[in-house]
Amino acid sequence: MSDLQFITQTKHLIDELKSVCANYGLGNDGNEFKIITQVFLYKFINDKYIDEAKKENKSLKNAEKFQEALEELSEEELNFLNYGMNPDIPKLQPNHTISYLFNRQNEADFGKLFDDTLRAISIDNSDIFSVKSATGAKDKLFDELSNYISDASQRDAFCRALINKVATFSFGKMFSEKYDFFATIFEYLIKDYNSDSGGKYAEYYTPHAVARIMAQILVQEPQQGVKVYDPSAGSGTLLMSLAHKIGEKNCSIYSEDISQKSSTMLRLNLILNHLSQSIPNIIRSNTIANPSYLETKFDYIVSNPPFKLDFSDFREDLEKDKFKERFFAGIPNVPKAKKESMAIYLMFIQHIMYSLNDTGKAAIVVPTGFITAQSGIEKKIREKLINNGWLKGVVSMPSNIFASTGTNVSVLILDKLADNEHIVLMDASKLGETVKEGKNQRTVLTAEEENKIIETFNKKEAVEDLSVVVSKDEIAAKNYSFSAGQYFEVKIEYIDITAEEFAEKMMGFENNLTDMFAEGAELEKKIQENLKKLRYE
């Protein structure tokens, strides 16, 4: 199955599930998102289990009717089957599969059977697949979906409709491949929940081109046993791209995010991308106020943090001494108006710097205004990066590379072992092709442009109108500006001409000026005449 086929199939299923919700009065309801994501989670767990069961048991692999063959296994055979599977594979009982429910959809109290099945799967797999909160409590895998229907008489029919939509095909073919387009699916899923300006979920999704560029720049040699972290993970696009570059078996994923929705999506993403072993490291928490990994240092950190957010409720707590080392550059003040404009991304940058180990590397998406701010927290952060020798380079991206926001963004590349005499500053703002996506315009990098950015950065090349290579001293002399444009040479083209050609050009300039002066004088005369004709009435 190709990427395009999978995306098309998944979008079709999303539309089908949305149709079911609409038919039962939940169209664009706040619970619609939960229903669709949890049905997807059940579908992926179901298909993953079946795919692995067929690999472990030849009779199941060759069976014409898998569900019947599974139900015919003895208790001993079933235990042996589940024991033989990789520990990070979800475990189902024969009466937990979608096929089992599909075959019993006409039974009485089907809604209860549906809910009981999801609850049992949650309990049986809670050690692996539940996401922990900062307090240690675990979010359950599934809600009782039938209860979202207020009319109890409609619950059985609602659950039957959901099962019928997911029982007709399998995602099995996709599990042998790496799918870096996961965010595309969920961007499509939540498009109706976002406002025209991008919505509150917009920060979860980073364009794949940006994610790939970050991963290809950060990882340039084989790695093993490394810890990878995202303090504002969203659905995990950046983590997935980095893990694929490192190798899923060579890294452990760690993440934090305050959103339960994004934690659910990330859990799905880990299952899809052969990283289920890292699910216990996915924490739902407030990274700035109550970080779960404060004492852990990481080899790689990637982040596209929210840029603006009201954190005035816990700002005073951040002023306490225990936070001073982490937030060395300071904490944004609470504005008198528009508290939502507080620059919370500055807190994330400082948190990331604090969380790197002695050889750590990081890539952080920031608003481009950060790289040239003349004073304040922004400049203090840049000064420390330069004075400590941690800046490897900066890539300023094209405008509108994020479909949901027009904010210009740049990517900071940090490296505790950076070469301080060859810092790469790149202005890629002129690259890309403009495409229209709904009401928004988006800039898309071609594969060639993407590779050009990566190769130029990694080779530390100076390319006219694209990149410069400078030292930490040169940056300090420019008020710690990270903008490539401030280091480009101003080039003046000189053309050799004869004395006669020079005189001819000067005569032409003089004649043009004489004509323009004469025209100006005539216009001035007409204006004065018209002014004299004006009368008060």
Side-chain angles (χ1 to χ4, degrees), residues 380-400:
K380 289 180 182 178
I381 292 173
R382 298 201 312 268
E383 286 177 348
K384 183 165 183 176
L385 289 175
I386 294 301
N387 294 336
N388 285 11
W390 294 354
L391 184 69
K392 187 171 185 178
V394 177
V395 180
S396 295
M397 292 293 177
S399 299
N400 297 316

Side-chain angles (χ1 to χ4, degrees), residues 408-436:
N408 291 337
V409 302
S410 296
V411 179
L412 302 183
I413 307 296
L414 312 186
D415 185 344
K416 286 286 192 76
L417 302 179
D419 174 5
N420 299 321
E421 297 304 311
H422 299 86
I423 300 169
V424 182
L425 302 180
M426 186 178 298
D427 181 1
S429 62
K430 297 177 183 178
L431 302 181
E433 301 173 349
T434 300
V435 298
K436 191 167 185 180

Side-chain angles (χ1 to χ4, degrees), residues 346-366:
L346 296 172
M347 310 304 291
F348 277 96
I349 297 175
Q350 294 177 80
H351 173 77
I352 289 167
M353 292 168 66
Y354 180 86
S355 300
L356 284 172
N357 65 21
D358 291 339
T359 60
K361 299 175 176 63
I364 314 165
V365 179
V366 300

Side-chain angles (χ1 to χ4, degrees), residues 17-30 32 192-193:
L17 294 174
K18 287 177 70 66
S19 177
V20 171
C21 290
N23 290 337
Y24 287 87
L26 297 172
N28 290 329
D29 181 272
E32 183 185 47
D192 294 330
Y193 309 108

Side-chain angles (χ1 to χ4, degrees), residues 90 95 113 148 175 210 348 377 394 456 464:
N95 62 334
L113 175 61
Y148 290 121
F175 292 118
V210 177
F348 277 96
I377 297 173
V394 177
T456 300
E464 186 174 346

Side-chain angles (χ1 to χ4, degrees), residues 137-195:
K138 291 185 176 181
D139 293 336
K140 57 185 178 181
L141 280 172
F142 302 105
D143 296 325
E144 294 182 350
L145 299 186
S146 71
N147 287 340
Y148 290 121
I149 303 298
S150 56
D151 184 351
S153 67
Q154 294 291 308
R155 290 173 181 171
D156 290 350
F158 174 69
C159 293
R160 278 195 292 270
L162 293 177
I163 283 295
N164 279 314
K165 296 301 182 185
V166 296
T168 56
F169 70 96
S170 172
F171 284 126
K173 292 181 180 179
M174 61 171 284
F175 292 118
S176 61
E177 302 183 38
K178 299 176 181 180
Y179 286 89
D180 290 333
F181 51 77
F182 186 85
T184 303
I185 297 167
F186 279 92
E187 278 183 305
Y188 182 78
L189 172 61
I190 70 168
K191 68 182 186 301
D192 294 330
Y193 309 108
N194 278 346
S195 68

Side-chain angles (χ1 to χ4, degrees), residues 295-306:
E295 304 305 319
T296 306
K297 301 299 181 183
F298 297 96
D299 300 283
Y300 292 94
I301 302 177
V302 285
S303 180
N304 175 20

